[in-house]
Amino acid sequence: MSKTFVKKSVKQVYLLIQLKRFGVLATNLIDQRTNIDMNRIVLKLGGTIMVLFLIVLLPLGYVANQILTNFYYSQVEDEIVELSEKYAQTIPSLQDENILNMYRNLAELTNKEIYILDESGDIVINSGVVINNLSEEDFSMMSKGQDLQKMFVDDQTDISYLGSGYPIIQSGQFAGGFFVLAPIDEIQEPIRKIRDLLILSAVGAILLALGFTFLLSKRMSRPLLEMEQATREIAKGNLNISVNIPSNDEIGSLGKTINNLAVETNRYRSNRREFLANISHELRTPLSYINGYSQVLKQGLYQTEEERIHYLTIIENESERITRLISDLFDLSKMEEGQFDFFMETINLSKVLENAISKIKMAATNKGLVIKKHVDENRHLIQADKDRLEQIFINLLANAVRYTEKGAVSVKVWQEDNKVHVIIEDTGIGIPKGELPYIFERFHRVEKSRSRELGGTGLGLAIVKQLVELQNGTISVNSEIGKGTSFQVSFPNAE
Ligand code: ADP
């Protein structure tokens, strides 16, 4: 194996390791990103609160710092002005060494520097400071009796001082200048300490705010993430899900809405399933009759002509039932989707009811039933579609005749509280109390075989309810087993 080959291989392995490392790093980064994405609300909320915090804190800090600095400077300035004035006024002689030393000691006691010049600007005494920026102009102003406040710089140490100089007047003559100096560093020291304290408390406050923001946004985002997860599950079709958000605010109400959505969608799904199962069942029964009897006819399995006619009549009846079922279903779905056209006009309800009764009369008479009418003398004007209104009455009257063996069907019409009321009552088999809340549902039948035997599709009352409500009316039912049933329909009066 050549040396270069080994080198190359080692290089390749190294490259591979690096690539793998990069891959792991990239995956970690992506994971972190999704994590960040997932908690984006935490970042947004946290960021906003932090920005607000800084907007308030920074100017506040700046102003506090300014106030503090000015306060300290003016305090020290007042002090040195007062001292220099006092010293300049009280110094009896510039020649007496003892007196000069006394002033130097005084300055030391008050932690200040002193600097005395004679009338020609030469230094008489100083406490170690040699200032270099006292101009001739400054001095001549002083010799004219003016005091002076400015920043001075020590010639040797380059230390800055805040200084105040006062002219010394002896026997009415300018005898020199007395300067009291305070080192800037010393003034700045307490300011710096307070500033450090301020910064420390600001950092503490920011950290506290950060922690608080993090907790708050976590608290806020947790239910949101939970709800997001729940809606994803709902979208996937997992409807047995519910979120538990106990708060009473908007987020809580959103959680409740999501729970309701899941419940409603679940109900809708099982309704639809039930509905499809019902339809296939309803179609299968007549189709099996048609199929069976047509086989019988095809194979000539009948004895008499009468028998043949009987089988043909069954086939005819069952195909009619399928046609009725399909047309009822079509009407119902159109009504539920709001695509059923109504030709609304002002009509006399009694007249429409009269027509419906005349159409049902024959079936009633065939069963030995009478239809009694109790209609008051008013004109019962309502806003409705004549044909759809007639359909309501025909369905209710047909049911009354269908489920009554003996007695009568009575119809009552009257006007009350700006409404026209109709009651269709029978003396039939009645409906059990527990069934009453469901009888307006599609395909709900108290006795399935009986209804089918009597030609019902199980859609009549569902259609009636839709038709009544779409024409601004209301419908209610009362019933007692073995005694009879009464349906009351009410419409707003059109007069
Ligand atoms: P159907 O076509 O089966 O009559 P409907 O929707 O018209 O369907 O009625 C639903 C169920 O309500 C019926 O199957 C029957 O059990 C019950 N029902 C309706 N009207 C009456 C009535 N007047 N007396 C007794 N039961 C009734």
Side-chain angles (χ1 to χ4, degrees), residues 46-47 57 64 191 267 280 343 416:
L57 213 66
I191 297 173
R267 191 175 300 158
S280 58
F343 180 66
E416 198 181 312

Side-chain angles (χ1 to χ4, degrees), residues 161-298:
Y161 293 89
L162 182 64
S164 170
Y166 254 82
I168 304 167
I169 311 289
Q170 284 176 346
S171 336
Q173 288 285 312
F174 173 70
F178 201 124
F179 290 84
V180 178
L181 311 167
I184 293 287
D185 270 2
E186 259 172 48
I187 305 172
Q188 277 175 343
E189 189 52 30
I191 297 173
R192 203 174 297 134
K193 271 189 187 153
I194 292 178
R195 197 185 292 148
D196 286 353
L197 223 78
L198 269 176
I199 290 172
L200 210 74
S201 40
V203 169
I206 287 176
L207 284 179
L208 218 82
L210 256 176
F212 176 71
T213 309
F214 182 74
L215 285 180
L216 185 80
S217 28
K218 258 262 178 268
R219 231 184 108 131
M220 282 182 78
S221 66
R222 201 184 309 123
L224 290 177
L225 289 175
E226 196 184 330
M227 285 191 282
E228 191 219 13
Q229 201 71 34
T231 44
R232 270 182 209 278
E233 289 298 315
I234 292 173
K236 270 193 231 157
N238 177 12
L239 299 175
N240 294 321
I241 201 155
S242 79
V243 288
N244 181 23
I245 295 155
S247 62
N248 275 331
D249 52 13
E250 290 87 342
I251 293 179
S253 104
L254 185 61
K256 279 179 202 115
T257 312
I258 288 175
N259 286 345
N260 285 345
L261 179 76
V263 170
E264 283 305 315
T265 318
N266 211 354
R267 191 175 300 158
Y268 173 75
R269 192 162 68 177
S270 50
N271 268 355
R272 204 183 57 152
R273 241 184 241 151
E274 204 179 308
F275 181 56
L276 287 173
N278 277 330
I279 292 176
S280 58
H281 181 73
E282 292 298 326
L283 285 174
R284 208 175 296 130
T285 317
L287 279 173
S288 63
Y289 274 113
I290 293 173
N291 194 24
Y293 285 106
S294 48
Q295 291 290 333
V296 169
L297 289 172
K298 198 173 156 194

Side-chain angles (χ1 to χ4, degrees), residues 93-361:
S93 155
L94 296 185
Q95 275 81 41
D96 190 331
E97 200 67 30
N98 285 336
I99 289 173
L100 290 174
N101 276 335
M102 188 192 80
Y103 277 96
R104 197 174 12 215
N105 292 340
L106 263 177
E108 226 171 87
L109 275 174
T110 52
N111 231 347
K112 305 280 177 300
E113 306 287 346
I114 60 163
Y115 193 77
I116 303 173
L117 303 176
D118 63 12
E119 77 271 20
S120 46
D122 294 329
I123 300 171
V124 177
I125 189 175
N126 66 357
S127 55
V129 182
V130 184
I131 54 177
N132 65 355
N133 60 335
L134 183 69
S135 63
E136 273 180 28
E137 213 176 304
D138 288 340
F139 194 71
S140 82
M141 291 288 279
M142 203 173 235
S143 64
K144 284 177 194 147
Q146 282 235 334
D147 56 323
L148 168 80
Q149 280 82 40
K150 67 181 273 190
M151 297 287 283
F152 296 105
V153 183
D154 188 324
D155 224 6
Q156 292 142 1
T157 57
D158 255 0
I159 294 175
S160 301
Y161 293 89
L162 182 64
S164 170
Y166 254 82
I168 304 167
I169 311 289
Q170 284 176 346
S171 336
Q173 288 285 312
F174 173 70
F178 201 124
F179 290 84
V180 178
L181 311 167
I184 293 287
D185 270 2
E186 259 172 48
I187 305 172
Q188 277 175 343
E189 189 52 30
I191 297 173
R192 203 174 297 134
K193 271 189 187 153
I194 292 178
R195 197 185 292 148
D196 286 353
L197 223 78
L198 269 176
I199 290 172
L200 210 74
S201 40
V203 169
I206 287 176
L207 284 179
L208 218 82
L210 256 176
F212 176 71
T213 309
F214 182 74
L215 285 180
L216 185 80
S217 28
K218 258 262 178 268
R219 231 184 108 131
M220 282 182 78
S221 66
R222 201 184 309 123
L224 290 177
L225 289 175
E226 196 184 330
M227 285 191 282
E228 191 219 13
Q229 201 71 34
T231 44
R232 270 182 209 278
E233 289 298 315
I234 292 173
K236 270 193 231 157
N238 177 12
L239 299 175
N240 294 321
I241 201 155
S242 79
V243 288
N244 181 23
I245 295 155
S247 62
N248 275 331
D249 52 13
E250 290 87 342
I251 293 179
S253 104
L254 185 61
K256 279 179 202 115
T257 312
I258 288 175
N259 286 345
N260 285 345
L261 179 76
V263 170
E264 283 305 315
T265 318
N266 211 354
R267 191 175 300 158
Y268 173 75
R269 192 162 68 177
S270 50
N271 268 355
R272 204 183 57 152
R273 241 184 241 151
E274 204 179 308
F275 181 56
L276 287 173
N278 277 330
I279 292 176
S280 58
H281 181 73
E282 292 298 326
L283 285 174
R284 208 175 296 130
T285 317
L287 279 173
S288 63
Y289 274 113
I290 293 173
N291 194 24
Y293 285 106
S294 48
Q295 291 290 333
V296 169
L297 289 172
K298 198 173 156 194
Q299 289 161 22
L301 298 172
Y302 55 88
Q303 254 100 64
T304 58
E305 176 62 14
E306 253 171 42
E307 212 179 322
R308 193 181 73 92
I309 301 279
H310 175 64
Y311 294 153
L312 280 171
T313 314
I314 292 176
I315 291 174
E316 191 185 15
N317 284 347
E318 291 304 318
S319 51
E320 265 171 17
R321 181 207 283 274
I322 293 176
T323 315
R324 211 163 48 238
L325 184 73
I326 290 171
S327 116
D328 278 0
L329 271 175
F330 192 60
D331 283 355
L332 202 57
S333 74
K334 274 213 300 192
M335 274 185 258
E336 282 174 351
E337 279 164 27
Q339 288 173 347
F340 203 65
D341 292 331
F342 286 88
F343 180 66
M344 301 293 268
E345 57 183 331
T346 308
I347 47 173
N348 188 353
L349 179 142
S350 324
K351 270 219 161 130
V352 179
L353 188 59
E354 198 78 47
N355 278 344
I357 291 173
S358 67
K359 286 182 184 166
I360 292 295
K361 211 163 199 161

